[in-house]
Amino acid sequence: MSEPSGTNSTRSGFVAIVGRPNAGKSTLLNALVGQKISITSRRPQTTRQNIAGILTKGEAQLVFLDTPGFQTQYHTGLTKAMDRGFRNALSEANAVLWLIDVTAREHADPQIHARLADSAAPVVIALNKIDKISNKNQILTTIQALDVAYHPAAIVPISAQNRLQLDTLLQALMPLLPQREFLYPAEDVTTSSVRAISAELIREKLFRLLGQELPYSTAVEIETFEEKPALTRIRAVILVDKPGQKAIVIGKGGVKLKEIGSAARADIEKLVGGKVFLELWVKVKQSWADDRRTLDRLGLS
């Protein structure tokens, strides 16, 4: 791997992506870097830790941090770590990308705004999902209201899913970064390892294929990861809180676990560019979300 590069004319810095659950933060990150590095789901609170995506474009390198959502209803070791991740991303950020869903009933979030007020980083608002609004005057009215209320450095209407106006968004963010050499090699797209992304892809399938609440009580730990040219062998454990949850994840005759494994394997094969043998197990680990050792192993503390 080559060394980070750059000249006195280059800019490089961290951009924290913040927003309400389901605003499209992970979808936007994946669209910006051109690769799936952050899992997506229609469920809120899918992202649990800061995922860094790296985009080097011309003389600028933007390191995007997909932040975990924060909430005040539950207080576990995991949710406290997620909140720390959010605050740490803001403290490191050279700029903040506040993603707002234009289709939402209320466009802004006072809690997010209050936290942004503690940050010295300039804020760019990205108004997402404009493709779902037929009345363009509605978008203009929303932009005007947000500008009056928050005075951001810029407001850019976009569609993360359809990749609309992303270049315009980047042009608004680049001047906000400090002039310095690139922080990472220009060819890098993420700081996450293939092993870590594989665990996240498995967890994504839990959100997509299980019931409403159960995925929040699960975690994925990679026990072994052996990558060879012809075949990548992965053994992963799905942690659950209760025995009844284990039975649901496995399903009758193991059908549900096979479905999860098949869907995850297909995505991991795209990631590694080759065949994957994926072995999944389900293990009961009561109160894993409050166990410091478990959170440490999962990289969530």
Side-chain angles (χ1 to χ4, degrees):
M1 182 178 292
S2 62
E3 292 298 319
S5 62
T7 67
N8 291 333
S9 64
T10 60
R11 293 179 180 270
S12 183
F14 294 95
V15 179
I17 306 177
V18 304
R20 280 181 172 176
N22 288 340
K25 298 187 295 295
S26 297
T27 299
L28 176 59
L29 176 63
N30 293 336
L32 287 169
V33 303
Q35 184 174 322
K36 185 171 184 176
I37 61 172
S38 187
I39 65 173
T40 60
S41 169
R42 293 181 180 178
R43 314 271 184 88
Q45 306 290 339
T46 303
T47 302
R48 287 177 174 169
Q49 60 194 113
N50 294 342
I51 306 296
I54 305 166
L55 174 63
T56 303
K57 190 176 180 68
E59 296 293 296
Q61 184 179 80
L62 304 96
V63 185
F64 294 99
L65 300 176
D66 181 12
T67 61
F70 64 92
Q71 53 79 48
T72 57
Q73 184 177 0
Y74 302 104
H75 298 281
T76 65
L78 174 60
T79 57
K80 290 176 182 176
M82 289 166 62
D83 187 65
R84 285 195 300 272
F86 183 93
R87 288 187 278 110
N88 289 342
L90 286 184
S91 68
E92 294 178 4
N94 301 108
V96 175
L97 174 52
W98 186 2
L99 193 64
I100 294 178
D101 181 354
V102 72
T103 67
R105 181 174 299 178
E106 295 181 3
H107 294 128
D109 190 322
Q111 284 186 311
I112 293 178
H113 181 247
R115 296 200 177 200
L116 294 184
D118 295 330
S119 172
V123 177
V124 170
I125 292 178
L127 202 58
N128 194 24
K129 305 182 184 180
I130 60 169
D131 54 304
K132 300 184 183 298
I133 301 295
S134 56
N135 185 354
K136 301 309 176 185
N137 288 330
Q138 179 182 339
I139 298 174
L140 291 175
T141 300
T142 302
I143 290 174
Q144 292 170 354
L146 291 171
D147 190 37
V148 170
Y150 301 112
H151 309 292
I155 301 177
V156 183
I158 68 164
S159 171
Q161 186 172 20
N162 293 329
R163 301 172 185 262
L164 297 177
Q165 295 256 94
L166 298 190
D167 280 339
T168 304
L169 178 61
L170 292 173
Q171 291 302 319
L173 289 167
M174 288 175 182
L176 305 179
L177 304 180
Q179 287 188 320
R180 59 182 174 186
E181 293 188 348
F182 292 164
L183 299 171
Y184 298 95
E187 66 271 17
D188 285 7
V189 295
T190 182
T191 58
S192 298
S193 66
V194 174
R195 180 183 181 127
I197 297 175
S198 297
E200 285 290 273
L201 290 173
I202 297 168
R203 193 168 66 84
E204 179 185 64
K205 303 308 174 285
L206 300 178
F207 272 86
R208 294 188 175 185
L209 298 174
L210 297 177
Q212 287 292 106
E213 297 299 325
L214 180 54
Y216 297 100
S217 299
T218 64
V220 176
E221 181 178 5
I222 303 292
E223 288 197 332
T224 60
F225 190 96
E226 185 181 4
E227 194 171 7
K228 293 185 177 181
L231 181 69
T232 298
R233 291 182 174 272
I234 304 170
R235 177 186 169 94
V237 174
I238 300 171
L239 300 179
V240 295
D241 270 329
K242 303 172 184 178
Q245 294 171 340
K246 177 178 179 179
I248 294 173
V249 174
I250 293 174
K252 186 175 181 180
V255 171
K256 181 59 66 176
L257 188 61
K258 290 177 182 177
E259 183 183 10
I260 293 167
S262 178
R265 184 179 65 252
D267 273 1
I268 297 172
E269 286 181 340
K270 293 177 184 177
L271 176 68
V272 302
K275 292 293 185 180
V276 170
F277 176 79
L278 176 62
E279 186 179 10
L280 292 181
W281 296 85
V282 185
K283 178 180 179 181
V284 178
K285 175 69 175 178
Q286 292 185 342
S287 301
W288 66 264
D290 273 315
D291 185 82
R292 181 58 184 268
R293 292 183 179 179
T294 300
L295 294 177
D296 282 344
R297 290 201 314 272
L298 296 172
L300 296 173
S301 60

